Each structure stands twice: as structure tokens, then as C-alpha cells.
């Protein structure tokens, strides 16, 4: 059985940073839909052009588009020992589509880990990241507020979706990077999927 983790949380919670550490330790494939969209944007593909206006405003790219891109990525890595999903799923419809996709491969989500960070801290972190990331959506307070609102209204229901499947794990996303990572590892090492084998 593969290890498939959804790393969940609002923008600025530290998903990207912690993903790198998780990948390093557990040798999983990274699937960040935000990174994939930014790559398409920089390469000027049709998909990139389509996604741009949504990303610029801090709104979600339509589900069909996101799901097709994720499917393509998963299908292209048949040898993967498992995935860390970063910034995906962001709607209940995406979560359901992911379940079906994995089920067709005889796989499932092992667990969802949510990084809990309060909103003031998020805004500070995103603005700070904007100074070096070059991401325009990290530099505008209006856009940042919109992204946090979209997270609350459209993405948080995904947490309940995994809670209903008993796959929900909450971690404090404030503190030293290593401390947070240790908490994440404790969750991963104790997932049911790791216990049965
Ligand atoms: P991120 O890097 O995860 O913060 O994503 C940056 C932007 O890409 C978001 O504000 C959305 O416009 C878009 N995006 C990334 N992932 C998704 C997703 N799973 N569903 C819809 N839009 C997404």
C-alpha cells in the first residue's frame, strides 16, 4: 500500500516548506497544484493562461481543470511510492475525484494533516514570503484576504470530508520548523496504513 498524505491548511501555513521535509524523509512524490499552475504560467501553456486570471485574484481554478491536471501527474508517475498532496484537494468535489482516482489504482488517502495557524500570523507570513517569492498574489493585502476567505468558505469543508473518514489529524503550525516536522512525522509513523504492514 502506498503512503498518500494530504497536507492541508490555509495559504501561508507552511505546507510547501513541510512538504519538502516530508518528501526527503519518506521519499514521496510531491504534488503541489499551486506549483504546477505556476509552472504552466511561466511556460505560457494554454492551461497556464486559463489559470492565470483565477490565481491573480486569489480565487480557485475550476475543479475540472485542477482534477485533469492532477490525474495527468499521477498517471505519469506509476512507480511512485506515494504522494504528498500539497494545496489539493481544495474543494469537496476535488476530494471526491481524488478518492475515485486513487481507488481505480487500488489506493487510498492514508491521512490528512492540517497545519493550524491563526489568520494574523498567516497574513504576516505571506507578505514576508512575497518579498522574496516574486508571487504577485503574496504582495497584495486584498488578494491575501480573499485567499484566506476562499479557504474558509470553499476549502475548510474538505477537512470535514476527511474527518468523516477518520483520516483527520490537526497539528499546531506555529513554532520551529523542526518541531512542527517532528509532530508531522509522529502522525505519519502512526497512520493505520503503517501499522498493518
Ligand atoms: P498555492 O500555491 O497552493 O497557494 O496556489 C496558488 C493559486 O493557485 C491559488 O490561489 C489558486 O488560484 C490556484 N490553485 C492551486 N491549487 C488549487 C486547487 N487545488 N484548486 C483550485 N485552485 C488552485
Amino acid at each position: 500500500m502506498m503512503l498518500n498524505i494530504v497536507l492541508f491548511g490555509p495559504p501561508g501555513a507552511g505546507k510547501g516548506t513541510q512538504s519538502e521535509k516530508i518528501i526527503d524523509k519518506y521519499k514521496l512524490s510531491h504534488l503541489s497544484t499551486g506549483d504546477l499552475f505556476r509552472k504552466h504560467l511561466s511556460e505560457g501553456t494554454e492551461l497556464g493562461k486559463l489559470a492565470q486570471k483565477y490565481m491573480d485574484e486569489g480565487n480557485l481554478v475550476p475543479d475540472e481543470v485542477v482534477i485533469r491536471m492532477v490525474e495527468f501527474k499521477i498517471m505519469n508517475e506509476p512507480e511512485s511510492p506515494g504522494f504528498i498532496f500539497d494545496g489539493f484537494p481544495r474543494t469537496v468535489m476535488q476530494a471526491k475525484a481524488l478518492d475515485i482516482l486513487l481507488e481505480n489504482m487500488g489506493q487510498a488517502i492514508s491521512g490528512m494533516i492540517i497545519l493550524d495557524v491563526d489568520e494574523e500570523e498567516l497574513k504576516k507570513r505571506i507578505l514576508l514570503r512575497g518579498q522574496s517569492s516574486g508571487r504577485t498574489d503574496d504582495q497584495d493585502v486584498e488578494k491575501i484576504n480573499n485567499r484566506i476567505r476562499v479557504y474558509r468558505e470553499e476549502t475548510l469543508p474538505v477537512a470535514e470530508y476527511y474527518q468523516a473518514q477518520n483520516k483527520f489529524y490537526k497539528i499546531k503550525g506555529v513554532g520551529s520548523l523542526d518541531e512542527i516536522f517532528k509532530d508531522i512525522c509522529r502522525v505519519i509513523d502512526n497512520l493505520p496504513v503503517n501499522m498493518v504492514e
Side-chain angles (χ1 to χ4, degrees), residues 10 12-14 18 114-122 124-125 170-181 183-184:
Q18 292 295 336
I114 179 167
L115 296 173
D116 189 30
V117 179
D118 72 73
E119 289 193 10
E120 285 316 306
E121 172 72 15
L122 293 175
K124 264 193 272 172
R125 285 190 193 178
K170 191 174 188 161
I171 279 178
K172 191 166 78 127
V174 189
S176 80
L177 292 184
D178 286 334
E179 253 164 29
I180 298 168
F181 182 57
D183 288 343
I184 291 176

Side-chain angles (χ1 to χ4, degrees), residues 1-195:
M1 193 70 172
M2 284 159 47
L3 190 58
N4 293 303
I5 312 276
V6 173
L7 192 59
F8 197 83
K15 299 188 293 292
T17 309
Q18 292 295 336
S19 285
E20 283 176 27
K21 295 165 86 73
I22 298 170
I23 289 153
D24 222 43
K25 176 162 181 188
Y26 296 94
K27 309 294 171 214
L28 303 175
S29 305
H30 190 200
L31 201 160
S32 157
T33 43
D35 285 354
L36 287 174
F37 281 130
R38 278 184 289 278
K39 186 156 185 286
H40 277 282
L41 253 180
S42 69
E43 290 172 355
T45 68
E46 284 306 311
L47 182 62
K49 283 177 202 152
L50 197 157
Q52 183 165 26
K53 66 173 189 293
Y54 299 100
M55 297 175 76
D56 276 348
E57 301 297 320
N59 290 322
L60 295 184
V61 178
D63 285 333
E64 303 77 39
V65 178
V66 184
I67 291 162
R68 228 182 308 130
M69 182 175 74
V70 168
E71 186 171 7
F72 186 78
K73 169 90 177 160
I74 293 180
M75 293 306 168
N76 271 298
E77 293 203 37
E79 303 297 326
S80 173
F83 287 90
I84 168 113
F85 296 97
D86 164 6
F88 175 87
R90 260 178 157 101
T91 64
V92 171
M93 190 179 153
Q94 291 178 17
K96 288 183 178 164
L98 179 61
D99 272 350
I100 293 170
L101 228 129
L102 292 174
E103 202 178 308
N104 287 339
M105 299 162 54
Q107 300 295 335
I109 290 296
S110 319
M112 185 211 89
I113 300 173
I114 179 167
L115 296 173
D116 189 30
V117 179
D118 72 73
E119 289 193 10
E120 285 316 306
E121 172 72 15
L122 293 175
K123 288 179 198 173
K124 264 193 272 172
R125 285 190 193 178
I126 297 172
L127 282 169
L128 195 70
R129 180 172 70 186
Q131 292 173 9
S132 55
S133 71
R135 282 179 58 171
T136 49
D137 63 342
D138 280 350
Q139 296 170 11
D140 181 316
V141 175
E142 290 278 303
K143 290 180 188 178
I144 294 171
N145 284 338
N146 188 47
R147 282 158 68 202
I148 293 175
R149 184 188 59 78
V150 167
Y151 172 79
R152 235 189 284 120
E153 292 176 6
E154 300 183 52
T155 304
L156 259 187
V158 176
E160 288 163 34
Y161 178 81
Y162 288 111
Q163 217 157 9
Q165 298 186 13
N166 285 323
K167 291 179 177 173
F168 175 91
Y169 303 89
K170 191 174 188 161
I171 279 178
K172 191 166 78 127
V174 189
S176 80
L177 292 184
D178 286 334
E179 253 164 29
I180 298 168
F181 182 57
K182 230 185 262 167
D183 288 343
I184 291 176
C185 293
R186 201 172 306 130
V187 170
I188 295 179
D189 293 339
N190 288 298
L191 284 173
V193 64
N194 284 332
M195 294 285 112

